[in-house]
Amino acid sequence: MNIFVGNLSAAVTADDLRRLFAGYGTTINAIIMRDTDTGLPLGYGHVYLVPEQAAYEAIINLDKKELKGSPITVRECMYRTRQERRLRRFLWRGSERRVAESRRHNGYDQTSPDSSEQRTG
């Protein structure tokens, strides 16, 4: 089972995650996600742990446990479709979301009647 591990400090390595989860089952893989440009850790990672029952025990026991100075978040990794990710991303914006036309024209609304006067004048 793929387990999401969040709120990781910059000092945590993949070996630290392997050692932490080793007591619960067989750790197949442990990854710390990094920024592609800078190479700095993003603060979360994934651990693939088998068998599934051991993974559930690890999630219950390790959630909110402190690792190198910060309490980590441990939960099952949920794969979402692109559509689900897109819908969730815009929830915080509410009615402030701009329409595509105004975005393309640097904030000038092309649908208003006086906008043509601004461009020609």
Side-chain angles (χ1 to χ4, degrees):
M1 169 189 289
N2 193 352
I3 300 172
F4 172 83
V5 184
N7 199 29
L8 295 174
S9 67
V12 176
T13 64
D15 289 332
D16 294 331
L17 287 179
R18 278 190 202 96
R19 280 193 292 270
L20 183 65
F21 284 88
Y24 294 97
T26 305
T27 305
I28 303 295
N29 197 6
I31 301 170
I32 303 283
M33 303 308 286
R34 296 188 174 274
D35 188 328
T36 55
D37 294 332
T38 63
L40 297 174
L42 293 174
Y44 68 95
H46 294 274
V47 176
Y48 196 82
L49 191 71
V50 291
E52 195 166 318
Q53 184 61 33
Y56 285 120
E57 286 180 27
I59 291 170
I60 292 169
N61 294 327
L62 296 177
D63 190 33
K64 308 286 190 259
K65 184 176 181 181
E66 194 165 311
L67 178 64
K68 291 203 176 183
S70 65
I72 60 174
T73 303
V74 182
R75 65 176 184 256
E76 182 179 355
C77 184
M78 295 291 184
Y79 294 102
R80 294 182 294 197
T81 64
R82 183 176 292 258
Q83 181 68 23
E84 290 172 337
R85 285 182 281 173
R86 186 176 299 130
L87 290 174
R88 186 173 178 139
R89 183 176 55 199
F90 292 121
L91 288 178
W92 64 273
R93 289 187 183 175
S95 61
E96 296 177 16
R97 189 170 157 210
R98 297 182 294 178
V99 294
E101 294 170 5
S102 63
R103 187 179 317 125
R104 284 190 211 110
H105 301 288
N106 295 326
Y108 293 103
D109 187 11
Q110 300 294 314
T111 59
S112 65
D114 63 330
S115 63
S116 61
E117 295 171 1
Q118 290 176 350
R119 281 185 273 141
T120 58

